[in-house]
Short mmCIF file of all heavy atoms in Angstrom, two decimals:
data_model
loop_
_atom_site.label_atom_id
_atom_site.label_comp_id
_atom_site.label_asym_id
_atom_site.label_seq_id
_atom_site.Cartn_x
_atom_site.Cartn_y
_atom_site.Cartn_z
N MET A 131 112.07 60.02 -52.62
CA MET A 131 111.28 61.24 -52.67
C MET A 131 109.94 61.11 -53.34
O MET A 131 108.97 61.68 -53.00
CB MET A 131 112.10 62.11 -53.56
CG MET A 131 112.58 63.47 -53.02
SD MET A 131 112.53 63.82 -51.27
CE MET A 131 112.79 65.56 -51.47
N GLN A 132 109.87 60.16 -54.32
CA GLN A 132 108.63 59.99 -55.06
C GLN A 132 107.61 59.34 -54.02
O GLN A 132 106.38 59.47 -54.10
CB GLN A 132 108.77 59.10 -56.30
CG GLN A 132 109.38 59.85 -57.34
CD GLN A 132 109.48 58.97 -58.57
OE1 GLN A 132 109.60 57.82 -58.58
NE2 GLN A 132 109.39 59.56 -59.73
N ARG A 133 108.11 58.43 -53.23
CA ARG A 133 107.19 57.78 -52.20
C ARG A 133 106.46 58.89 -51.36
O ARG A 133 105.27 58.78 -50.97
CB ARG A 133 107.88 56.82 -51.27
CG ARG A 133 108.14 55.51 -52.16
CD ARG A 133 108.63 54.49 -51.05
NE ARG A 133 108.84 53.13 -51.83
CZ ARG A 133 109.33 52.09 -51.24
NH1 ARG A 133 109.66 52.16 -49.97
NH2 ARG A 133 109.45 50.96 -51.90
N MET A 134 107.23 59.79 -50.80
CA MET A 134 106.82 60.88 -49.95
C MET A 134 105.74 61.70 -50.70
O MET A 134 104.79 62.10 -50.12
CB MET A 134 107.91 61.71 -49.38
CG MET A 134 108.73 60.93 -48.43
SD MET A 134 109.89 62.25 -47.57
CE MET A 134 108.72 62.98 -46.43
N ALA A 135 106.02 62.02 -51.94
CA ALA A 135 105.15 62.87 -52.72
C ALA A 135 103.81 62.01 -52.95
O ALA A 135 102.64 62.58 -52.81
CB ALA A 135 105.74 63.17 -54.09
N ALA A 136 103.87 60.78 -53.23
CA ALA A 136 102.72 59.89 -53.40
C ALA A 136 101.84 59.80 -52.11
O ALA A 136 100.67 59.86 -52.09
CB ALA A 136 103.03 58.51 -53.83
N ARG A 137 102.58 59.67 -51.02
CA ARG A 137 101.81 59.68 -49.72
C ARG A 137 101.11 60.97 -49.50
O ARG A 137 99.96 61.09 -48.92
CB ARG A 137 102.88 59.34 -48.49
CG ARG A 137 103.32 57.96 -48.45
CD ARG A 137 104.29 57.68 -47.35
NE ARG A 137 104.73 56.33 -47.37
CZ ARG A 137 105.69 55.88 -46.66
NH1 ARG A 137 106.18 56.69 -45.68
NH2 ARG A 137 106.15 54.71 -46.69
N LEU A 138 101.79 62.04 -49.79
CA LEU A 138 101.18 63.37 -49.53
C LEU A 138 99.95 63.57 -50.37
O LEU A 138 98.90 64.09 -49.89
CB LEU A 138 102.19 64.51 -49.85
CG LEU A 138 103.32 64.68 -48.74
CD1 LEU A 138 104.29 65.78 -49.16
CD2 LEU A 138 102.71 64.96 -47.47
N ARG A 139 100.07 63.08 -51.74
CA ARG A 139 98.87 63.19 -52.54
C ARG A 139 97.77 62.34 -52.06
O ARG A 139 96.58 62.70 -52.10
CB ARG A 139 99.20 62.73 -53.95
CG ARG A 139 99.89 63.94 -54.78
CD ARG A 139 100.01 63.58 -56.34
NE ARG A 139 101.52 63.63 -56.48
CZ ARG A 139 102.10 62.61 -56.95
NH1 ARG A 139 101.66 61.50 -57.31
NH2 ARG A 139 103.49 62.74 -57.20
N LEU A 140 98.14 61.12 -51.56
CA LEU A 140 97.16 60.21 -51.07
C LEU A 140 96.42 60.84 -49.80
O LEU A 140 95.16 60.68 -49.73
CB LEU A 140 97.75 58.79 -50.62
CG LEU A 140 96.75 57.77 -50.09
CD1 LEU A 140 95.71 57.47 -51.17
CD2 LEU A 140 97.59 56.63 -49.72
N ARG A 141 97.12 61.39 -48.88
CA ARG A 141 96.52 61.99 -47.78
C ARG A 141 95.72 63.16 -48.09
O ARG A 141 94.65 63.39 -47.57
CB ARG A 141 97.72 62.53 -46.92
CG ARG A 141 98.39 61.49 -46.14
CD ARG A 141 99.39 62.07 -45.20
NE ARG A 141 100.17 61.03 -44.46
CZ ARG A 141 101.28 61.08 -43.85
NH1 ARG A 141 101.69 62.36 -43.60
NH2 ARG A 141 101.87 60.04 -43.23
N THR A 142 96.08 63.92 -49.11
CA THR A 142 95.22 65.10 -49.64
C THR A 142 93.95 64.48 -50.15
O THR A 142 92.88 65.15 -49.86
CB THR A 142 95.97 65.83 -50.70
OG1 THR A 142 97.23 66.30 -50.08
CG2 THR A 142 95.21 66.91 -51.16
N VAL A 143 93.94 63.56 -50.99
CA VAL A 143 92.76 62.88 -51.55
C VAL A 143 91.87 62.40 -50.45
O VAL A 143 90.59 62.68 -50.42
CB VAL A 143 93.14 61.78 -52.55
CG1 VAL A 143 91.97 60.97 -52.95
CG2 VAL A 143 93.79 62.42 -53.70
N ILE A 144 92.43 61.73 -49.47
CA ILE A 144 91.68 61.21 -48.27
C ILE A 144 91.00 62.36 -47.50
O ILE A 144 89.82 62.30 -47.10
CB ILE A 144 92.58 60.41 -47.33
CG1 ILE A 144 92.79 58.98 -48.11
CG2 ILE A 144 91.81 60.02 -46.06
CD1 ILE A 144 93.79 58.14 -47.40
N ARG A 145 91.73 63.36 -47.30
CA ARG A 145 91.32 64.58 -46.55
C ARG A 145 90.20 65.22 -47.32
O ARG A 145 89.26 65.80 -46.71
CB ARG A 145 92.34 65.59 -46.23
CG ARG A 145 93.33 65.23 -45.22
CD ARG A 145 94.38 66.18 -44.89
NE ARG A 145 95.30 65.64 -43.94
CZ ARG A 145 96.56 66.18 -43.76
NH1 ARG A 145 96.92 67.25 -44.50
NH2 ARG A 145 97.31 65.75 -42.95
N ILE A 146 90.16 65.25 -48.59
CA ILE A 146 89.03 65.86 -49.40
C ILE A 146 87.91 64.89 -49.55
O ILE A 146 86.78 65.17 -49.42
CB ILE A 146 89.65 66.44 -50.70
CG1 ILE A 146 90.54 67.51 -50.47
CG2 ILE A 146 88.50 66.77 -51.62
CD1 ILE A 146 91.40 67.98 -51.69
N ALA A 147 88.22 63.67 -49.73
CA ALA A 147 87.17 62.74 -50.09
C ALA A 147 86.33 62.23 -48.95
O ALA A 147 85.13 62.09 -48.96
CB ALA A 147 87.77 61.42 -50.70
N THR A 148 86.86 62.14 -47.74
CA THR A 148 86.14 61.80 -46.55
C THR A 148 85.01 62.79 -46.12
O THR A 148 83.87 62.28 -46.05
CB THR A 148 87.12 61.61 -45.33
OG1 THR A 148 88.12 60.67 -45.66
CG2 THR A 148 86.40 61.16 -44.13
N PRO A 149 85.31 64.05 -46.01
CA PRO A 149 84.15 64.94 -45.82
C PRO A 149 83.09 64.86 -46.92
O PRO A 149 81.80 64.96 -46.63
CB PRO A 149 84.75 66.30 -45.65
CG PRO A 149 86.17 66.11 -45.39
CD PRO A 149 86.51 64.74 -46.04
N LEU A 150 83.58 64.84 -48.13
CA LEU A 150 82.56 64.83 -49.21
C LEU A 150 81.68 63.51 -49.20
O LEU A 150 80.40 63.64 -49.38
CB LEU A 150 83.27 64.86 -50.70
CG LEU A 150 83.88 66.26 -50.95
CD1 LEU A 150 84.57 66.23 -52.24
CD2 LEU A 150 82.75 67.31 -51.01
N LEU A 151 82.24 62.44 -48.92
CA LEU A 151 81.54 61.26 -48.72
C LEU A 151 80.61 61.30 -47.64
O LEU A 151 79.43 60.77 -47.83
CB LEU A 151 82.45 59.98 -48.51
CG LEU A 151 81.87 58.65 -48.39
CD1 LEU A 151 81.14 58.23 -49.70
CD2 LEU A 151 82.96 57.65 -48.02
N LEU A 152 80.97 61.83 -46.56
CA LEU A 152 80.07 62.02 -45.40
C LEU A 152 78.89 62.95 -45.74
O LEU A 152 77.66 62.62 -45.40
CB LEU A 152 80.73 62.50 -44.18
CG LEU A 152 81.62 61.53 -43.45
CD1 LEU A 152 82.43 62.20 -42.27
CD2 LEU A 152 80.79 60.41 -42.74
N ILE A 153 79.22 64.02 -46.40
CA ILE A 153 78.08 64.83 -46.92
C ILE A 153 77.02 64.15 -47.74
O ILE A 153 75.87 64.30 -47.56
CB ILE A 153 78.63 66.12 -47.62
CG1 ILE A 153 79.47 66.99 -46.54
CG2 ILE A 153 77.56 66.86 -48.41
CD1 ILE A 153 80.14 68.17 -47.25
N PHE A 154 77.54 63.38 -48.70
CA PHE A 154 76.63 62.62 -49.60
C PHE A 154 75.86 61.47 -48.92
O PHE A 154 74.65 61.32 -49.16
CB PHE A 154 77.32 62.02 -50.78
CG PHE A 154 77.69 63.09 -51.81
CD1 PHE A 154 79.06 63.21 -52.09
CD2 PHE A 154 76.83 63.85 -52.42
CE1 PHE A 154 79.54 64.30 -53.07
CE2 PHE A 154 77.23 64.87 -53.34
CZ PHE A 154 78.45 64.98 -53.64
N VAL A 155 76.50 60.92 -48.00
CA VAL A 155 75.71 59.92 -47.28
C VAL A 155 74.77 60.39 -46.18
O VAL A 155 73.54 59.85 -46.19
CB VAL A 155 76.86 58.91 -46.44
CG1 VAL A 155 76.06 57.99 -45.50
CG2 VAL A 155 77.62 58.17 -47.45
N LEU A 156 75.18 61.31 -45.49
CA LEU A 156 74.25 62.00 -44.50
C LEU A 156 73.21 62.93 -45.12
O LEU A 156 72.18 63.12 -44.48
CB LEU A 156 74.99 62.71 -43.43
CG LEU A 156 75.95 61.83 -42.65
CD1 LEU A 156 76.83 62.70 -41.55
CD2 LEU A 156 75.26 60.76 -41.85
N GLY A 157 73.56 63.39 -46.39
CA GLY A 157 72.55 64.23 -46.95
C GLY A 157 71.28 63.55 -47.38
O GLY A 157 70.20 64.16 -47.51
N GLY A 158 71.30 62.20 -47.63
CA GLY A 158 70.19 61.48 -47.95
C GLY A 158 69.20 61.33 -46.68
O GLY A 158 68.08 60.88 -46.94
N CYS A 159 69.71 61.64 -45.57
CA CYS A 159 68.89 61.45 -44.31
C CYS A 159 67.95 62.74 -44.08
O CYS A 159 67.21 62.62 -43.11
CB CYS A 159 69.75 61.21 -43.16
SG CYS A 159 70.77 59.78 -43.28
N LEU A 160 68.17 63.78 -44.79
CA LEU A 160 67.41 65.00 -44.56
C LEU A 160 65.93 64.91 -44.99
O LEU A 160 65.12 65.46 -44.36
CB LEU A 160 68.15 66.22 -45.21
CG LEU A 160 69.45 66.63 -44.61
CD1 LEU A 160 69.93 67.73 -45.40
CD2 LEU A 160 69.25 67.05 -43.22
N ILE A 161 65.70 64.26 -46.06
CA ILE A 161 64.32 64.19 -46.55
C ILE A 161 63.76 62.76 -46.29
O ILE A 161 64.24 61.70 -46.83
CB ILE A 161 64.36 64.42 -48.12
CG1 ILE A 161 64.96 65.84 -48.25
CG2 ILE A 161 63.03 64.27 -48.61
CD1 ILE A 161 65.29 66.10 -49.86
N PRO A 162 62.72 62.70 -45.51
CA PRO A 162 62.06 61.43 -45.21
C PRO A 162 61.38 60.93 -46.45
O PRO A 162 61.11 61.57 -47.40
CB PRO A 162 61.10 61.76 -44.05
CG PRO A 162 60.94 63.27 -44.16
CD PRO A 162 62.08 63.83 -44.80
N PRO A 163 61.02 59.69 -46.43
CA PRO A 163 60.31 59.04 -47.51
C PRO A 163 58.73 59.68 -47.66
O PRO A 163 58.37 60.31 -46.88
CB PRO A 163 60.12 57.51 -47.18
CG PRO A 163 60.45 57.51 -45.73
CD PRO A 163 61.23 58.62 -45.45
N THR A 164 58.32 59.38 -48.77
CA THR A 164 56.90 59.95 -49.17
C THR A 164 55.89 59.31 -48.15
O THR A 164 55.86 58.07 -48.06
CB THR A 164 56.54 59.65 -50.59
OG1 THR A 164 57.66 60.18 -51.44
CG2 THR A 164 55.21 60.24 -51.00
N PRO A 165 55.15 60.19 -47.43
CA PRO A 165 54.03 59.64 -46.58
C PRO A 165 52.87 58.99 -47.27
O PRO A 165 52.55 59.43 -48.35
CB PRO A 165 53.75 60.72 -45.79
CG PRO A 165 53.97 62.08 -46.78
CD PRO A 165 55.17 61.60 -47.47
N GLU A 166 52.40 57.99 -46.72
CA GLU A 166 51.25 57.25 -47.25
C GLU A 166 50.03 57.45 -46.49
O GLU A 166 48.91 57.45 -47.08
CB GLU A 166 51.65 55.76 -47.36
CG GLU A 166 52.83 55.40 -48.24
CD GLU A 166 52.57 55.80 -49.65
OE1 GLU A 166 51.41 55.64 -50.15
OE2 GLU A 166 53.58 56.16 -50.44
N THR A 167 50.05 57.44 -45.12
CA THR A 167 48.83 57.68 -44.35
C THR A 167 48.55 59.09 -44.03
O THR A 167 49.40 59.90 -44.14
CB THR A 167 48.97 56.87 -43.06
OG1 THR A 167 50.06 57.31 -42.26
CG2 THR A 167 49.26 55.39 -43.37
N THR A 168 47.32 59.35 -43.42
CA THR A 168 47.15 60.75 -43.10
C THR A 168 47.83 61.20 -41.94
O THR A 168 48.38 62.36 -41.93
CB THR A 168 45.57 60.86 -42.73
OG1 THR A 168 45.29 60.02 -41.71
CG2 THR A 168 44.75 60.60 -43.89
N GLN A 169 48.28 60.33 -41.08
CA GLN A 169 49.17 60.58 -39.90
C GLN A 169 50.52 61.03 -40.38
O GLN A 169 51.20 61.90 -39.90
CB GLN A 169 49.16 59.51 -38.85
CG GLN A 169 47.74 59.37 -38.03
CD GLN A 169 46.90 58.45 -38.79
OE1 GLN A 169 47.27 57.85 -39.83
NE2 GLN A 169 45.83 58.16 -38.23
N ALA A 170 51.01 60.21 -41.30
CA ALA A 170 52.33 60.32 -41.94
C ALA A 170 52.43 61.70 -42.66
O ALA A 170 53.40 62.45 -42.68
CB ALA A 170 52.77 59.23 -42.72
N LYS A 171 51.36 62.09 -43.27
CA LYS A 171 51.25 63.29 -44.01
C LYS A 171 51.37 64.55 -43.11
O LYS A 171 51.98 65.52 -43.25
CB LYS A 171 50.05 63.39 -44.89
CG LYS A 171 50.16 62.44 -46.11
CD LYS A 171 48.87 62.52 -46.90
CE LYS A 171 49.00 61.50 -47.94
NZ LYS A 171 47.82 61.36 -48.89
N ASP A 172 50.65 64.38 -41.91
CA ASP A 172 50.73 65.41 -40.86
C ASP A 172 52.07 65.53 -40.28
O ASP A 172 52.68 66.71 -40.13
CB ASP A 172 49.61 65.11 -39.74
CG ASP A 172 48.24 65.22 -40.18
OD1 ASP A 172 47.95 65.95 -41.25
OD2 ASP A 172 47.41 64.68 -39.58
N ILE A 173 52.75 64.42 -40.10
CA ILE A 173 54.11 64.52 -39.46
C ILE A 173 55.02 65.06 -40.49
O ILE A 173 55.98 65.83 -40.14
CB ILE A 173 54.50 63.09 -39.08
CG1 ILE A 173 53.68 62.59 -37.81
CG2 ILE A 173 56.01 62.97 -38.70
CD1 ILE A 173 53.83 61.19 -37.42
N PHE A 174 54.94 64.64 -41.82
CA PHE A 174 55.76 65.24 -42.76
C PHE A 174 55.59 66.66 -42.93
O PHE A 174 56.69 67.33 -43.13
CB PHE A 174 55.44 64.49 -44.12
CG PHE A 174 56.35 64.90 -45.25
CD1 PHE A 174 57.65 64.40 -45.32
CD2 PHE A 174 55.91 65.79 -46.23
CE1 PHE A 174 58.54 64.74 -46.43
CE2 PHE A 174 56.85 66.16 -47.28
CZ PHE A 174 58.07 65.69 -47.39
N SER A 175 54.44 67.22 -42.86
CA SER A 175 54.23 68.66 -43.05
C SER A 175 54.83 69.36 -41.72
O SER A 175 55.46 70.52 -41.95
CB SER A 175 52.74 69.03 -43.22
OG SER A 175 52.06 68.68 -42.13
N LEU A 176 54.71 68.72 -40.59
CA LEU A 176 55.33 69.31 -39.37
C LEU A 176 56.85 69.36 -39.46
O LEU A 176 57.51 70.27 -39.21
CB LEU A 176 54.89 68.47 -38.25
CG LEU A 176 55.43 69.07 -36.84
CD1 LEU A 176 55.04 70.44 -36.49
CD2 LEU A 176 54.98 68.14 -35.70
N TYR A 177 57.45 68.22 -39.98
CA TYR A 177 58.78 68.07 -40.24
C TYR A 177 59.34 69.17 -41.15
O TYR A 177 60.38 69.72 -40.97
CB TYR A 177 59.10 66.71 -40.80
CG TYR A 177 60.57 66.52 -41.28
CD1 TYR A 177 61.59 66.22 -40.26
CD2 TYR A 177 60.98 66.70 -42.64
CE1 TYR A 177 62.87 65.96 -40.68
CE2 TYR A 177 62.31 66.54 -43.05
CZ TYR A 177 63.20 66.17 -42.00
OH TYR A 177 64.49 66.08 -42.32
N THR A 178 58.63 69.45 -42.20
CA THR A 178 58.90 70.50 -43.22
C THR A 178 58.94 71.86 -42.59
O THR A 178 59.86 72.60 -42.88
CB THR A 178 58.04 70.39 -44.41
OG1 THR A 178 58.00 69.08 -44.97
CG2 THR A 178 58.50 71.30 -45.51
N ILE A 179 57.95 72.05 -41.73
CA ILE A 179 57.91 73.47 -41.16
C ILE A 179 59.01 73.60 -40.22
O ILE A 179 59.75 74.63 -40.20
CB ILE A 179 56.59 73.55 -40.52
CG1 ILE A 179 55.37 73.68 -41.47
CG2 ILE A 179 56.55 74.74 -39.44
CD1 ILE A 179 54.02 73.58 -40.82
N VAL A 180 59.29 72.62 -39.37
CA VAL A 180 60.47 72.76 -38.36
C VAL A 180 61.75 72.79 -39.16
O VAL A 180 62.60 73.60 -38.79
CB VAL A 180 60.32 71.48 -37.42
CG1 VAL A 180 61.69 71.48 -36.65
CG2 VAL A 180 59.16 71.66 -36.48
N PHE A 181 62.02 72.08 -40.24
CA PHE A 181 63.15 72.12 -40.94
C PHE A 181 63.38 73.49 -41.61
O PHE A 181 64.54 73.98 -41.45
CB PHE A 181 63.12 70.98 -42.11
CG PHE A 181 64.32 71.01 -42.92
CD1 PHE A 181 65.48 70.29 -42.47
CD2 PHE A 181 64.50 71.53 -44.19
CE1 PHE A 181 66.71 70.31 -43.20
CE2 PHE A 181 65.69 71.50 -44.98
CZ PHE A 181 66.79 70.96 -44.34
N VAL A 182 62.37 74.10 -42.24
CA VAL A 182 62.53 75.45 -42.74
C VAL A 182 62.77 76.39 -41.72
O VAL A 182 63.60 77.29 -41.85
CB VAL A 182 61.21 75.76 -43.53
CG1 VAL A 182 61.16 77.23 -43.89
CG2 VAL A 182 61.04 74.88 -44.76
N MET A 183 62.16 76.35 -40.53
CA MET A 183 62.42 77.29 -39.37
C MET A 183 63.89 77.05 -38.93
O MET A 183 64.52 78.06 -38.62
CB MET A 183 61.42 77.10 -38.26
CG MET A 183 59.96 77.53 -38.61
SD MET A 183 58.74 77.21 -37.42
CE MET A 183 59.51 76.84 -35.93
N GLY A 184 64.21 75.89 -38.79
CA GLY A 184 65.74 75.67 -38.39
C GLY A 184 66.65 76.17 -39.41
O GLY A 184 67.68 76.74 -39.07
N ALA A 185 66.32 76.03 -40.78
CA ALA A 185 67.30 76.53 -41.80
C ALA A 185 67.29 78.05 -41.72
O ALA A 185 68.40 78.65 -41.87
CB ALA A 185 66.79 76.16 -43.13
N ILE A 186 66.16 78.74 -41.49
CA ILE A 186 66.24 80.21 -41.45
C ILE A 186 67.00 80.60 -40.15
O ILE A 186 67.79 81.47 -40.46
CB ILE A 186 64.67 80.68 -41.19
CG1 ILE A 186 63.90 80.42 -42.54
CG2 ILE A 186 64.72 82.11 -40.82
CD1 ILE A 186 62.58 80.72 -42.50
N VAL A 187 66.84 80.01 -39.05
CA VAL A 187 67.66 80.37 -37.87
C VAL A 187 69.11 80.12 -38.15
O VAL A 187 70.10 80.94 -37.79
CB VAL A 187 67.23 79.69 -36.70
CG1 VAL A 187 68.12 79.75 -35.51
CG2 VAL A 187 65.80 80.01 -36.25
N PHE A 188 69.47 78.96 -38.80
CA PHE A 188 70.87 78.65 -39.07
C PHE A 188 71.42 79.66 -39.97
O PHE A 188 72.63 80.17 -39.64
CB PHE A 188 70.96 77.23 -39.66
CG PHE A 188 72.29 76.91 -40.26
CD1 PHE A 188 73.28 76.52 -39.25
CD2 PHE A 188 72.64 77.11 -41.47
CE1 PHE A 188 74.53 76.28 -39.77
CE2 PHE A 188 73.93 76.63 -41.99
CZ PHE A 188 74.92 76.24 -41.12
N PHE A 189 70.70 79.94 -41.07
CA PHE A 189 71.39 80.90 -41.96
C PHE A 189 71.50 82.35 -41.38
O PHE A 189 72.39 83.13 -41.68
CB PHE A 189 70.66 80.93 -43.33
CG PHE A 189 70.97 79.72 -44.11
CD1 PHE A 189 69.99 78.78 -44.45
CD2 PHE A 189 72.19 79.53 -44.54
CE1 PHE A 189 70.30 77.64 -45.10
CE2 PHE A 189 72.55 78.32 -45.35
CZ PHE A 189 71.56 77.42 -45.55
N GLY A 190 70.57 82.65 -40.54
CA GLY A 190 70.47 83.99 -39.87
C GLY A 190 71.63 84.08 -38.95
O GLY A 190 72.47 85.10 -38.93
N VAL A 191 71.96 83.09 -38.09
CA VAL A 191 73.07 83.05 -37.20
C VAL A 191 74.40 83.08 -37.98
O VAL A 191 75.30 83.89 -37.64
CB VAL A 191 72.99 81.84 -36.20
CG1 VAL A 191 74.20 81.67 -35.50
CG2 VAL A 191 71.78 81.97 -35.37
N GLU A 192 74.50 82.24 -39.01
CA GLU A 192 75.70 82.27 -39.74
C GLU A 192 75.95 83.52 -40.47
O GLU A 192 77.06 83.99 -40.57
CB GLU A 192 75.71 81.12 -40.86
CG GLU A 192 75.73 79.73 -40.26
CD GLU A 192 77.00 79.45 -39.44
OE1 GLU A 192 78.12 79.79 -39.98
OE2 GLU A 192 76.98 78.96 -38.31
N GLY A 193 74.85 84.23 -40.87
CA GLY A 193 75.00 85.57 -41.50
C GLY A 193 75.55 86.58 -40.57
O GLY A 193 76.35 87.44 -40.93
N MET A 194 75.01 86.54 -39.37
CA MET A 194 75.53 87.51 -38.26
C MET A 194 76.89 87.26 -37.92
O MET A 194 77.70 88.16 -37.53
CB MET A 194 74.56 87.39 -37.08
CG MET A 194 73.17 87.80 -37.38
SD MET A 194 73.19 89.42 -38.00
CE MET A 194 72.17 90.23 -36.76
N ILE A 195 77.37 85.99 -37.94
CA ILE A 195 78.70 85.72 -37.56
C ILE A 195 79.64 86.24 -38.56
O ILE A 195 80.72 86.87 -38.37
CB ILE A 195 79.02 84.15 -37.41
CG1 ILE A 195 78.23 83.67 -36.23
CG2 ILE A 195 80.42 83.84 -37.34
CD1 ILE A 195 78.30 82.16 -36.05
#
């Protein structure tokens, strides 16, 4: 009986830890590194504008759902 309880606890921990780990790993990919050249600064500002517009659309759609 104790083995089954331990397995269930382990499965629960894995089910919770895996998505959290993915969120932390992939969350670092959202913000690009600091731009150094003028072209990179232009691209970064464009990225920021598109990201904000996408976030507004995302939250708007989720709010309507």
